Amino acid sequence: MPPRSERKVRARPALTAGRGSTRSRAVAAILSAALPTAAGAEPLAAESPRIPEPMVFDLLRPLGARAGEREVNVLTLRPLSRGATDWAPELEYAYADGQSLELELPFEDGRLTQFKFALQGTFGTGADGRWIHGWQYIGQVERGSGSVRNALLYISGYRSDGRWSMLSMAGLRQVGLRQLGPTALLLNHSVFYDVDPDTVLGLEFNLRQDIAGDDRTRALVMPQIHRRLTERTSIQAGLGVEFQTDRDVGLVAAMRVIREF
């Protein structure tokens, strides 16, 4: 099994009804695009393609995980242009075949900023077992303001041969429950190369684009290496470039330590 290979903004005032209808149409378009594909997929195969996970925007265990798989990990992100370090311990558990959940506690330096809960499911496999796809839901509650964010993403992974694979995620994030705030488009695309059974090289691209709010953009390009240290322990590290609206381009260092059990 190749090594294990992941999120996050201030609440804004409620939008107008016109913007709400735009959001509804966008959500409907994404769901209608995803559901026909899911219906045409084969059932979850006994041996699903094992595809590495992005380091920054990771999965809740890989798609197709077997029931009972568990993991704890800690992601650390440090923009080199400022002093604050973001880090987050995570607990992941596959409670059924292809179905996982996650609890996460994001910190900024030593301050707990959010409570996060996520669910993930696998639709099935295709392309003679080389392709697998599923979905992910993420719920976040800001500790200070109590504002809520909900995100829903479609996930698609493909292994072309014994060394090359890729994973893509696309979806929307909505701020607020009773009064809806900004909507953002979330995209992730990662390409991986298996150097050997214990080493994976990857290139991860993350984009968050506000589409009904203040039109801010955040993009991260993160080259990374994943290395399995023992049968159940692995580490990931990378140095990438971050682009944000109204900010200078900056370097970001990242590391994730993983323990499976």
Side-chain angles (χ1 to χ4, degrees):
M1 180 175 68
R4 273 250 327 129
S5 74
E6 171 170 305
R7 332 199 207 347
K8 296 161 169 157
V9 304
R10 261 190 322 259
R12 309 290 298 184
L15 299 179
T16 65
R19 287 178 176 173
S21 61
T22 301
R23 285 194 301 271
S24 300
R25 289 194 294 270
V27 172
I30 285 182
L31 292 178
S32 63
L35 291 178
T37 309
E42 301 170 10
L44 187 61
E47 291 296 332
S48 302
R50 206 70 169 186
I51 298 171
E53 302 176 52
M55 175 176 60
V56 179
F57 199 151
D58 75 333
L59 303 182
L60 324 183
R61 300 298 300 161
L63 288 177
R66 298 291 106 187
E69 291 185 13
R70 293 167 292 175
E71 171 189 318
V72 292
N73 68 76
V74 178
L75 171 69
T76 302
L77 282 169
R78 182 177 178 85
L80 301 186
S81 59
R82 60 181 175 88
T85 299
D86 298 329
W87 60 282
E90 303 176 13
L91 171 63
E92 302 175 359
Y93 174 62
Y95 59 89
D97 288 350
Q99 313 293 320
S100 304
L101 60 83
E102 175 188 272
L103 299 175
E104 180 180 344
L105 297 175
F107 286 79
E108 184 173 326
D109 284 337
R111 184 175 65 90
L112 177 64
T113 59
Q114 296 177 3
F115 301 97
K116 181 180 290 188
F117 172 75
L119 291 171
Q120 180 179 289
T122 305
F123 287 134
T125 59
D128 297 323
R130 296 191 303 273
W131 174 63
I132 188 168
H133 68 153
W135 58 271
Q136 185 179 116
Y137 162 78
I138 304 169
Q140 299 167 264
V141 179
E142 290 286 341
R143 186 184 174 203
S145 65
S147 63
V148 178
R149 300 187 185 94
N150 294 286
L152 182 63
L153 300 106
Y154 172 73
I155 311 169
S156 177
Y158 183 79
R159 178 167 287 279
S160 59
D161 56 30
R163 293 190 181 272
W164 289 99
S165 60
M166 65 180 66
L167 187 84
S168 297
M169 293 185 277
L172 295 174
R173 184 181 66 192
Q174 173 67 67
V175 177
L177 289 176
R178 296 181 180 178
Q179 292 185 324
L180 300 184
T183 299
L185 173 68
L186 303 179
L187 295 174
N188 173 285
H189 183 71
S190 302
V191 179
F192 303 102
Y193 179 76
D194 293 18
V195 178
D196 57 48
D198 295 323
T199 309
V200 173
L201 300 179
L203 179 63
E204 176 181 356
F205 172 75
N206 276 301
L207 174 68
R208 188 191 72 222
Q209 175 64 58
D210 289 345
I211 57 176
D214 55 10
D215 297 324
R216 296 182 62 84
T217 301
R218 178 184 180 275
L220 176 68
V221 181
M222 179 65 71
Q224 56 201 249
I225 182 171
H226 306 175
R227 178 68 182 176
R228 184 167 290 281
L229 304 178
T230 69
E231 182 181 357
R232 297 184 177 274
T233 305
S234 55
I235 190 170
Q236 303 160 5
L239 180 65
V241 182
E242 184 178 48
F243 307 85
Q244 291 194 62
T245 302
D246 300 330
R247 286 192 182 182
D248 294 335
V249 176
L251 292 176
V252 178
M255 182 175 67
R256 189 185 291 273
V257 180
I258 303 124
R259 171 69 177 178
E260 299 167 286
F261 57 98

